[in-house]
PDB file of all heavy atoms in Angstrom:
ATOM      1  N   MET A   1     -28.214 -25.693  66.291  1.00 95.00           N
ATOM      2  CA  MET A   1     -27.888 -24.652  67.256  1.00 95.00           C
ATOM      3  C   MET A   1     -28.781 -24.768  68.482  1.00 95.00           C
ATOM      4  O   MET A   1     -29.840 -25.377  68.431  1.00 95.00           O
ATOM      5  CB  MET A   1     -28.091 -23.263  66.623  1.00 95.00           C
ATOM      6  CG  MET A   1     -27.130 -22.953  65.499  1.00 95.00           C
ATOM      7  SD  MET A   1     -27.387 -21.285  64.809  1.00 95.00           S
ATOM      8  CE  MET A   1     -28.935 -21.513  63.946  1.00 95.00           C
ATOM      9  N   LYS A   2     -28.349 -24.167  69.555  1.00 98.00           N
ATOM     10  CA  LYS A   2     -29.184 -24.055  70.741  1.00 98.00           C
ATOM     11  C   LYS A   2     -29.817 -22.669  70.731  1.00 98.00           C
ATOM     12  O   LYS A   2     -29.114 -21.653  70.747  1.00 98.00           O
ATOM     13  CB  LYS A   2     -28.360 -24.253  72.020  1.00 98.00           C
ATOM     14  CG  LYS A   2     -29.231 -24.369  73.270  1.00 98.00           C
ATOM     15  CD  LYS A   2     -28.384 -24.761  74.475  1.00 98.00           C
ATOM     16  CE  LYS A   2     -29.265 -25.142  75.650  1.00 98.00           C
ATOM     17  NZ  LYS A   2     -28.458 -25.557  76.821  1.00 98.00           N
ATOM     18  N   ILE A   3     -31.143 -22.649  70.686  1.00 98.00           N
ATOM     19  CA  ILE A   3     -31.865 -21.402  70.461  1.00 98.00           C
ATOM     20  C   ILE A   3     -32.908 -21.189  71.552  1.00 98.00           C
ATOM     21  O   ILE A   3     -33.656 -22.106  71.899  1.00 98.00           O
ATOM     22  CB  ILE A   3     -32.549 -21.426  69.082  1.00 98.00           C
ATOM     23  CG1 ILE A   3     -31.505 -21.611  67.972  1.00 98.00           C
ATOM     24  CG2 ILE A   3     -33.355 -20.148  68.842  1.00 98.00           C
ATOM     25  CD1 ILE A   3     -32.089 -21.855  66.603  1.00 98.00           C
ATOM     26  N   LEU A   4     -32.964 -19.968  72.070  1.00 98.00           N
ATOM     27  CA  LEU A   4     -34.027 -19.572  72.986  1.00 98.00           C
ATOM     28  C   LEU A   4     -35.159 -18.958  72.177  1.00 98.00           C
ATOM     29  O   LEU A   4     -34.923 -18.065  71.351  1.00 98.00           O
ATOM     30  CB  LEU A   4     -33.517 -18.547  73.997  1.00 98.00           C
ATOM     31  CG  LEU A   4     -34.584 -17.889  74.892  1.00 98.00           C
ATOM     32  CD1 LEU A   4     -35.232 -18.906  75.814  1.00 98.00           C
ATOM     33  CD2 LEU A   4     -33.984 -16.726  75.683  1.00 98.00           C
ATOM     34  N   VAL A   5     -36.378 -19.435  72.410  1.00 98.00           N
ATOM     35  CA  VAL A   5     -37.568 -18.833  71.806  1.00 98.00           C
ATOM     36  C   VAL A   5     -38.452 -18.336  72.941  1.00 98.00           C
ATOM     37  O   VAL A   5     -38.989 -19.143  73.716  1.00 98.00           O
ATOM     38  CB  VAL A   5     -38.346 -19.833  70.931  1.00 98.00           C
ATOM     39  CG1 VAL A   5     -39.629 -19.180  70.393  1.00 98.00           C
ATOM     40  CG2 VAL A   5     -37.474 -20.326  69.775  1.00 98.00           C
ATOM     41  N   THR A   6     -38.587 -17.021  73.063  1.00 98.00           N
ATOM     42  CA  THR A   6     -39.491 -16.480  74.080  1.00 98.00           C
ATOM     43  C   THR A   6     -40.908 -16.421  73.506  1.00 98.00           C
ATOM     44  O   THR A   6     -41.098 -16.303  72.306  1.00 98.00           O
ATOM     45  CB  THR A   6     -39.060 -15.078  74.545  1.00 98.00           C
ATOM     46  OG1 THR A   6     -39.289 -14.130  73.500  1.00 98.00           O
ATOM     47  CG2 THR A   6     -37.585 -15.062  74.937  1.00 98.00           C
ATOM     48  N   GLY A   7     -41.890 -16.518  74.410  1.00 98.00           N
ATOM     49  CA  GLY A   7     -43.275 -16.576  73.948  1.00 98.00           C
ATOM     50  C   GLY A   7     -43.589 -17.875  73.240  1.00 98.00           C
ATOM     51  O   GLY A   7     -44.421 -17.931  72.330  1.00 98.00           O
ATOM     52  N   ALA A   8     -42.942 -18.964  73.665  1.00 98.00           N
ATOM     53  CA  ALA A   8     -43.036 -20.238  72.943  1.00 98.00           C
ATOM     54  C   ALA A   8     -44.416 -20.873  73.013  1.00 98.00           C
ATOM     55  O   ALA A   8     -44.749 -21.726  72.193  1.00 98.00           O
ATOM     56  CB  ALA A   8     -41.991 -21.217  73.482  1.00 98.00           C
ATOM     57  N   ALA A   9     -45.228 -20.474  73.996  1.00 98.00           N
ATOM     58  CA  ALA A   9     -46.589 -21.003  74.073  1.00 98.00           C
ATOM     59  C   ALA A   9     -47.574 -20.138  73.300  1.00 98.00           C
ATOM     60  O   ALA A   9     -48.760 -20.464  73.212  1.00 98.00           O
ATOM     61  CB  ALA A   9     -47.043 -21.106  75.532  1.00 98.00           C
ATOM     62  N   GLY A  10     -47.080 -19.044  72.731  1.00 98.00           N
ATOM     63  CA  GLY A  10     -47.918 -18.160  71.938  1.00 98.00           C
ATOM     64  C   GLY A  10     -48.070 -18.663  70.513  1.00 98.00           C
ATOM     65  O   GLY A  10     -47.445 -19.648  70.099  1.00 98.00           O
ATOM     66  N   PHE A  11     -48.880 -17.965  69.761  1.00 98.00           N
ATOM     67  CA  PHE A  11     -49.211 -18.365  68.393  1.00 98.00           C
ATOM     68  C   PHE A  11     -47.965 -18.445  67.503  1.00 98.00           C
ATOM     69  O   PHE A  11     -47.605 -19.514  66.991  1.00 98.00           O
ATOM     70  CB  PHE A  11     -50.225 -17.356  67.832  1.00 98.00           C
ATOM     71  CG  PHE A  11     -50.553 -17.504  66.381  1.00 98.00           C
ATOM     72  CD1 PHE A  11     -50.619 -18.743  65.760  1.00 98.00           C
ATOM     73  CD2 PHE A  11     -50.832 -16.365  65.619  1.00 98.00           C
ATOM     74  CE1 PHE A  11     -50.940 -18.860  64.412  1.00 98.00           C
ATOM     75  CE2 PHE A  11     -51.163 -16.469  64.281  1.00 98.00           C
ATOM     76  CZ  PHE A  11     -51.207 -17.717  63.678  1.00 98.00           C
ATOM     77  N   ILE A  12     -47.257 -17.334  67.340  1.00 98.00           N
ATOM     78  CA  ILE A  12     -46.086 -17.321  66.457  1.00 98.00           C
ATOM     79  C   ILE A  12     -44.927 -18.073  67.099  1.00 98.00           C
ATOM     80  O   ILE A  12     -44.177 -18.787  66.417  1.00 98.00           O
ATOM     81  CB  ILE A  12     -45.692 -15.874  66.116  1.00 98.00           C
ATOM     82  CG1 ILE A  12     -46.864 -15.146  65.445  1.00 98.00           C
ATOM     83  CG2 ILE A  12     -44.475 -15.849  65.203  1.00 98.00           C
ATOM     84  CD1 ILE A  12     -46.620 -13.667  65.182  1.00 98.00           C
ATOM     85  N   GLY A  13     -44.778 -17.941  68.422  1.00 98.00           N
ATOM     86  CA  GLY A  13     -43.692 -18.629  69.114  1.00 98.00           C
ATOM     87  C   GLY A  13     -43.786 -20.135  68.987  1.00 98.00           C
ATOM     88  O   GLY A  13     -42.776 -20.819  68.770  1.00 98.00           O
ATOM     89  N   TYR A  14     -44.992 -20.663  69.129  1.00 98.00           N
ATOM     90  CA  TYR A  14     -45.201 -22.110  68.994  1.00 98.00           C
ATOM     91  C   TYR A  14     -44.797 -22.593  67.607  1.00 98.00           C
ATOM     92  O   TYR A  14     -44.042 -23.570  67.456  1.00 98.00           O
ATOM     93  CB  TYR A  14     -46.663 -22.456  69.266  1.00 98.00           C
ATOM     94  CG  TYR A  14     -47.115 -23.750  68.624  1.00 98.00           C
ATOM     95  CD1 TYR A  14     -46.643 -24.986  69.066  1.00 98.00           C
ATOM     96  CD2 TYR A  14     -47.992 -23.734  67.544  1.00 98.00           C
ATOM     97  CE1 TYR A  14     -47.040 -26.165  68.449  1.00 98.00           C
ATOM     98  CE2 TYR A  14     -48.401 -24.903  66.927  1.00 98.00           C
ATOM     99  CZ  TYR A  14     -47.924 -26.113  67.379  1.00 98.00           C
ATOM    100  OH  TYR A  14     -48.304 -27.280  66.764  1.00 98.00           O
ATOM    101  N   HIS A  15     -45.285 -21.930  66.584  1.00 98.00           N
ATOM    102  CA  HIS A  15     -44.984 -22.364  65.216  1.00 98.00           C
ATOM    103  C   HIS A  15     -43.501 -22.210  64.889  1.00 98.00           C
ATOM    104  O   HIS A  15     -42.919 -23.039  64.180  1.00 98.00           O
ATOM    105  CB  HIS A  15     -45.831 -21.567  64.219  1.00 98.00           C
ATOM    106  CG  HIS A  15     -47.266 -22.014  64.147  1.00 98.00           C
ATOM    107  ND1 HIS A  15     -47.657 -23.139  63.443  1.00 98.00           N
ATOM    108  CD2 HIS A  15     -48.392 -21.498  64.687  1.00 98.00           C
ATOM    109  CE1 HIS A  15     -48.976 -23.281  63.550  1.00 98.00           C
ATOM    110  NE2 HIS A  15     -49.437 -22.308  64.303  1.00 98.00           N
ATOM    111  N   THR A  16     -42.880 -21.155  65.418  1.00 98.00           N
ATOM    112  CA  THR A  16     -41.447 -20.957  65.177  1.00 98.00           C
ATOM    113  C   THR A  16     -40.622 -22.035  65.872  1.00 98.00           C
ATOM    114  O   THR A  16     -39.694 -22.613  65.277  1.00 98.00           O
ATOM    115  CB  THR A  16     -41.009 -19.564  65.675  1.00 98.00           C
ATOM    116  OG1 THR A  16     -41.757 -18.564  64.977  1.00 98.00           O
ATOM    117  CG2 THR A  16     -39.529 -19.339  65.445  1.00 98.00           C
ATOM    118  N   ALA A  17     -40.948 -22.319  67.128  1.00 98.00           N
ATOM    119  CA  ALA A  17     -40.236 -23.379  67.852  1.00 98.00           C
ATOM    120  C   ALA A  17     -40.384 -24.714  67.134  1.00 98.00           C
ATOM    121  O   ALA A  17     -39.410 -25.479  67.006  1.00 98.00           O
ATOM    122  CB  ALA A  17     -40.773 -23.474  69.280  1.00 98.00           C
ATOM    123  N   ALA A  18     -41.584 -25.011  66.643  1.00 98.00           N
ATOM    124  CA  ALA A  18     -41.817 -26.271  65.933  1.00 98.00           C
ATOM    125  C   ALA A  18     -40.961 -26.359  64.679  1.00 98.00           C
ATOM    126  O   ALA A  18     -40.398 -27.418  64.371  1.00 98.00           O
ATOM    127  CB  ALA A  18     -43.299 -26.398  65.575  1.00 98.00           C
ATOM    128  N   ALA A  19     -40.833 -25.256  63.942  1.00 98.00           N
ATOM    129  CA  ALA A  19     -40.024 -25.249  62.722  1.00 98.00           C
ATOM    130  C   ALA A  19     -38.542 -25.452  63.038  1.00 98.00           C
ATOM    131  O   ALA A  19     -37.835 -26.181  62.318  1.00 98.00           O
ATOM    132  CB  ALA A  19     -40.231 -23.940  61.970  1.00 98.00           C
ATOM    133  N   LEU A  20     -38.061 -24.826  64.103  1.00 98.00           N
ATOM    134  CA  LEU A  20     -36.658 -24.982  64.487  1.00 98.00           C
ATOM    135  C   LEU A  20     -36.375 -26.407  64.959  1.00 98.00           C
ATOM    136  O   LEU A  20     -35.326 -26.995  64.634  1.00 98.00           O
ATOM    137  CB  LEU A  20     -36.303 -23.979  65.587  1.00 98.00           C
ATOM    138  CG  LEU A  20     -36.332 -22.506  65.166  1.00 98.00           C
ATOM    139  CD1 LEU A  20     -36.178 -21.597  66.389  1.00 98.00           C
ATOM    140  CD2 LEU A  20     -35.238 -22.211  64.150  1.00 98.00           C
ATOM    141  N   LEU A  21     -37.297 -26.990  65.705  1.00 98.00           N
ATOM    142  CA  LEU A  21     -37.140 -28.371  66.153  1.00 98.00           C
ATOM    143  C   LEU A  21     -37.138 -29.328  64.964  1.00 98.00           C
ATOM    144  O   LEU A  21     -36.346 -30.280  64.915  1.00 98.00           O
ATOM    145  CB  LEU A  21     -38.265 -28.747  67.117  1.00 98.00           C
ATOM    146  CG  LEU A  21     -38.235 -28.075  68.489  1.00 98.00           C
ATOM    147  CD1 LEU A  21     -39.557 -28.289  69.214  1.00 98.00           C
ATOM    148  CD2 LEU A  21     -37.064 -28.593  69.335  1.00 98.00           C
ATOM    149  N   GLU A  22     -37.997 -29.059  64.008  1.00 98.00           N
ATOM    150  CA  GLU A  22     -38.119 -29.945  62.847  1.00 98.00           C
ATOM    151  C   GLU A  22     -36.824 -29.983  62.038  1.00 98.00           C
ATOM    152  O   GLU A  22     -36.471 -31.009  61.466  1.00 98.00           O
ATOM    153  CB  GLU A  22     -39.273 -29.486  61.958  1.00 98.00           C
ATOM    154  CG  GLU A  22     -39.567 -30.425  60.796  1.00 98.00           C
ATOM    155  CD  GLU A  22     -40.785 -30.029  60.002  1.00 98.00           C
ATOM    156  OE1 GLU A  22     -41.513 -29.105  60.430  1.00 98.00           O
ATOM    157  OE2 GLU A  22     -41.026 -30.633  58.941  1.00 98.00           O
ATOM    158  N   ARG A  23     -36.096 -28.872  62.009  1.00 97.00           N
ATOM    159  CA  ARG A  23     -34.857 -28.863  61.233  1.00 97.00           C
ATOM    160  C   ARG A  23     -33.643 -29.323  62.058  1.00 97.00           C
ATOM    161  O   ARG A  23     -32.527 -29.333  61.565  1.00 97.00           O
ATOM    162  CB  ARG A  23     -34.612 -27.488  60.637  1.00 97.00           C
ATOM    163  CG  ARG A  23     -34.116 -26.443  61.615  1.00 97.00           C
ATOM    164  CD  ARG A  23     -33.748 -25.157  60.888  1.00 97.00           C
ATOM    165  NE  ARG A  23     -32.973 -24.272  61.748  1.00 97.00           N
ATOM    166  CZ  ARG A  23     -32.425 -23.146  61.323  1.00 97.00           C
ATOM    167  NH1 ARG A  23     -32.568 -22.760  60.069  1.00 97.00           N
ATOM    168  NH2 ARG A  23     -31.731 -22.389  62.154  1.00 97.00           N
ATOM    169  N   GLY A  24     -33.875 -29.617  63.366  1.00 98.00           N
ATOM    170  CA  GLY A  24     -32.818 -30.218  64.166  1.00 98.00           C
ATOM    171  C   GLY A  24     -32.175 -29.346  65.213  1.00 98.00           C
ATOM    172  O   GLY A  24     -31.201 -29.764  65.852  1.00 98.00           O
ATOM    173  N   ASP A  25     -32.692 -28.153  65.435  1.00 98.00           N
ATOM    174  CA  ASP A  25     -32.141 -27.300  66.490  1.00 98.00           C
ATOM    175  C   ASP A  25     -32.616 -27.756  67.865  1.00 98.00           C
ATOM    176  O   ASP A  25     -33.668 -28.379  67.999  1.00 98.00           O
ATOM    177  CB  ASP A  25     -32.569 -25.844  66.277  1.00 98.00           C
ATOM    178  CG  ASP A  25     -31.944 -25.226  65.037  1.00 98.00           C
ATOM    179  OD1 ASP A  25     -30.727 -25.375  64.862  1.00 98.00           O
ATOM    180  OD2 ASP A  25     -32.679 -24.592  64.247  1.00 98.00           O
ATOM    181  N   ASP A  26     -31.834 -27.418  68.890  1.00 98.00           N
ATOM    182  CA  ASP A  26     -32.269 -27.579  70.277  1.00 98.00           C
ATOM    183  C   ASP A  26     -32.947 -26.276  70.697  1.00 98.00           C
ATOM    184  O   ASP A  26     -32.375 -25.195  70.533  1.00 98.00           O
ATOM    185  CB  ASP A  26     -31.082 -27.847  71.199  1.00 98.00           C
ATOM    186  CG  ASP A  26     -30.455 -29.211  70.939  1.00 98.00           C
ATOM    187  OD1 ASP A  26     -31.192 -30.141  70.571  1.00 98.00           O
ATOM    188  OD2 ASP A  26     -29.227 -29.329  71.083  1.00 98.00           O
ATOM    189  N   VAL A  27     -34.144 -26.381  71.234  1.00 98.00           N
ATOM    190  CA  VAL A  27     -34.928 -25.188  71.549  1.00 98.00           C
ATOM    191  C   VAL A  27     -35.297 -25.174  73.024  1.00 98.00           C
ATOM    192  O   VAL A  27     -35.819 -26.154  73.560  1.00 98.00           O
ATOM    193  CB  VAL A  27     -36.218 -25.117  70.695  1.00 98.00           C
ATOM    194  CG1 VAL A  27     -37.081 -23.936  71.122  1.00 98.00           C
ATOM    195  CG2 VAL A  27     -35.868 -25.019  69.215  1.00 98.00           C
ATOM    196  N   VAL A  28     -35.024 -24.042  73.678  1.00 98.00           N
ATOM    197  CA  VAL A  28     -35.548 -23.766  75.006  1.00 98.00           C
ATOM    198  C   VAL A  28     -36.667 -22.740  74.820  1.00 98.00           C
ATOM    199  O   VAL A  28     -36.442 -21.647  74.300  1.00 98.00           O
ATOM    200  CB  VAL A  28     -34.473 -23.215  75.958  1.00 98.00           C
ATOM    201  CG1 VAL A  28     -35.092 -22.827  77.299  1.00 98.00           C
ATOM    202  CG2 VAL A  28     -33.370 -24.247  76.163  1.00 98.00           C
ATOM    203  N   GLY A  29     -37.876 -23.135  75.216  1.00 98.00           N
ATOM    204  CA  GLY A  29     -39.023 -22.260  75.075  1.00 98.00           C
ATOM    205  C   GLY A  29     -39.367 -21.605  76.399  1.00 98.00           C
ATOM    206  O   GLY A  29     -39.458 -22.272  77.426  1.00 98.00           O
ATOM    207  N   LEU A  30     -39.556 -20.296  76.383  1.00 98.00           N
ATOM    208  CA  LEU A  30     -39.881 -19.534  77.592  1.00 98.00           C
ATOM    209  C   LEU A  30     -41.262 -18.911  77.429  1.00 98.00           C
ATOM    210  O   LEU A  30     -41.594 -18.383  76.371  1.00 98.00           O
ATOM    211  CB  LEU A  30     -38.819 -18.453  77.801  1.00 98.00           C
ATOM    212  CG  LEU A  30     -38.909 -17.520  79.012  1.00 98.00           C
ATOM    213  CD1 LEU A  30     -37.508 -16.990  79.340  1.00 98.00           C
ATOM    214  CD2 LEU A  30     -39.835 -16.337  78.773  1.00 98.00           C
ATOM    215  N   ASP A  31     -42.068 -18.963  78.483  1.00 98.00           N
ATOM    216  CA  ASP A  31     -43.379 -18.311  78.466  1.00 98.00           C
ATOM    217  C   ASP A  31     -43.856 -18.171  79.909  1.00 98.00           C
ATOM    218  O   ASP A  31     -43.514 -19.002  80.762  1.00 98.00           O
ATOM    219  CB  ASP A  31     -44.380 -19.139  77.666  1.00 98.00           C
ATOM    220  CG  ASP A  31     -45.502 -18.290  77.072  1.00 98.00           C
ATOM    221  OD1 ASP A  31     -46.352 -17.794  77.840  1.00 98.00           O
ATOM    222  OD2 ASP A  31     -45.540 -18.123  75.838  1.00 98.00           O
ATOM    223  N   ASN A  32     -44.659 -17.125  80.179  1.00 97.00           N
ATOM    224  CA  ASN A  32     -45.205 -16.992  81.530  1.00 97.00           C
ATOM    225  C   ASN A  32     -46.648 -17.495  81.621  1.00 97.00           C
ATOM    226  O   ASN A  32     -47.253 -17.451  82.694  1.00 97.00           O
ATOM    227  CB  ASN A  32     -45.120 -15.541  82.018  1.00 97.00           C
ATOM    228  CG  ASN A  32     -46.033 -14.588  81.248  1.00 97.00           C
ATOM    229  OD1 ASN A  32     -46.684 -14.972  80.280  1.00 97.00           O
ATOM    230  ND2 ASN A  32     -46.060 -13.335  81.670  1.00 97.00           N
ATOM    231  N   LEU A  33     -47.193 -17.958  80.481  1.00 97.00           N
ATOM    232  CA  LEU A  33     -48.554 -18.528  80.445  1.00 97.00           C
ATOM    233  C   LEU A  33     -49.580 -17.601  81.105  1.00 97.00           C
ATOM    234  O   LEU A  33     -50.425 -18.039  81.892  1.00 97.00           O
ATOM    235  CB  LEU A  33     -48.587 -19.904  81.108  1.00 97.00           C
ATOM    236  CG  LEU A  33     -47.747 -21.000  80.443  1.00 97.00           C
ATOM    237  CD1 LEU A  33     -47.874 -22.312  81.209  1.00 97.00           C
ATOM    238  CD2 LEU A  33     -48.158 -21.210  78.993  1.00 97.00           C
TER     239      LEU A  33
END
Side-chain angles (χ1 to χ4, degrees):
M1 294 181 289
K2 189 172 191 179
I3 301 171
L4 171 65
V5 177
T6 71
F11 173 35
I12 302 175
Y14 156 69
H15 283 281
T16 300
L20 293 171
L21 290 167
E22 186 175 352
R23 76 173 194 174
D25 292 313
D26 292 327
V27 175
V28 175
L30 181 155
D31 206 290
N32 68 355
L33 297 180

